Amino acid sequence: MDYYFGNLNPNPYYHHSAVVNMASPSSEFMLSDYLVLEDALVVDHHQESWSQSTETESSEKATSSDASHGFGDATSNTNMHIKCQNSGIKGKNAEVSQRITFRTRSQLEVMDDGYKWRKYGKKTVKSSPNPRNYYKCSGEGCDVKKRVERDRDDSNYVLTTYDGVHNHQTPSTAYYSQMPLLHSNHDWALHPSANS
DNA sequence: CGCATTTGACCAGCGC
DNA sequence: GCGCTGGTCAAATGCG
């Protein structure tokens, strides 16, 4: 099984979105176990315009794999839209250099990505009728955070946003060398706004 | 009993 | 300056 998630497109003016299929044979699957890059799309996407981008994502949905790639029915598969955003965050979060948003079709809100997370907050936000859950990595000295919420437009999808990079390896390191996506030092293209 | 989760309070940034 | 909003804190609670 090949794992790959490097630079999908050399053009630095685009963020990268990859559509992958992730088989989920049980509720205890691990992201790192089943993440398979199915196809790569390129979309222009800005950190500040997530709500606007959902229209783009809806069109992606219509053209993306879903069940049409022969991975089985929707209840047994998790289809993901992955965005990597170097968002040029200003202010107090300026030190956050990596932001990755997964859009996951899943009944599960929290997937096991190999790291241990501690929930520290839950908030109803105005931009979505669904509550947003906040998690911190339990790794010692690791300040990576993630937010998890149901897609406001389609509750079958879960939006998972990772902020920052881990300063340690995942507790399950078996796929480390093959699976750079959820580790530091992966090779993402930068959006021009990140440099301004 | 120890640890994780819940949840209301608090804080900071932003727009008006 | 004030109110709104999103993000975080921390005491209370639940669970194994």
Side-chain angles (χ1 to χ4, degrees), chain A residues 108-127:
Chain A
L108 305 172
E109 292 209 10
V110 180
M111 290 176 293
D112 188 345
D113 54 17
Y115 291 96
K116 186 171 174 59
W117 300 94
R118 179 177 58 84
K119 189 174 184 176
Y120 69 91
K122 179 182 180 180
K123 189 83 172 182
T124 299
V125 294
K126 195 177 182 181
S127 60

Side-chain angles (χ1 to χ4, degrees), chain A residues 127-147:
Chain A
S127 60
S128 172
N130 304 312
R132 177 179 293 171
N133 297 292
Y134 298 89
Y135 298 85
K136 284 182 180 176
C137 180
S138 295
E140 191 173 354
C142 184
D143 198 35
V144 177
K145 298 167 189 175
K146 75 172 178 180
R147 301 194 297 259

Side-chain angles (χ1 to χ4, degrees), chain A residues 20-157:
Chain A
V20 301
N21 273 291
M22 191 169 66
S24 53
S26 78
S27 61
E28 298 179 350
F29 72 89
M30 287 180 55
L31 179 63
S32 54
D33 285 345
Y34 295 102
L35 184 66
V36 180
L37 187 63
E38 174 70 8
D39 193 6
L41 302 178
V42 177
V43 295
D44 191 11
H45 179 72
H46 294 271
Q47 155 62 24
E48 295 80 5
S49 59
W50 174 257
S51 58
Q52 295 175 3
S53 74
T54 55
E55 284 191 11
T56 301
E57 291 184 359
S58 294
S59 62
E60 287 178 21
K61 208 186 306 177
T63 58
S64 67
S65 52
D66 286 338
S68 64
H69 276 77
F71 279 76
D73 62 44
T75 58
S76 61
N77 284 314
T78 299
N79 299 303
M80 305 178 64
H81 293 243
I82 300 175
K83 292 178 182 298
C84 179
Q85 303 170 327
N86 192 307
S87 55
I89 299 168
K90 298 177 178 61
K92 67 174 185 177
N93 290 325
E95 72 280 3
V96 177
S97 59
Q98 296 284 351
R99 171 169 290 181
I100 304 170
T101 299
F102 294 84
R103 189 171 184 276
T104 310
R105 180 172 174 169
S106 175
Q107 303 300 313
L108 305 172
E109 292 209 10
V110 180
M111 290 176 293
D112 188 345
D113 54 17
Y115 291 96
K116 186 171 174 59
W117 300 94
R118 179 177 58 84
K119 189 174 184 176
Y120 69 91
K122 179 182 180 180
K123 189 83 172 182
T124 299
V125 294
K126 195 177 182 181
S127 60
S128 172
N130 304 312
R132 177 179 293 171
N133 297 292
Y134 298 89
Y135 298 85
K136 284 182 180 176
C137 180
S138 295
E140 191 173 354
C142 184
D143 198 35
V144 177
K145 298 167 189 175
K146 75 172 178 180
R147 301 194 297 259
V148 179
E149 64 181 297
R150 286 278 169 192
D151 192 326
R152 62 187 294 275
D153 294 325
D154 188 345
S155 60
N156 289 319
Y157 286 79

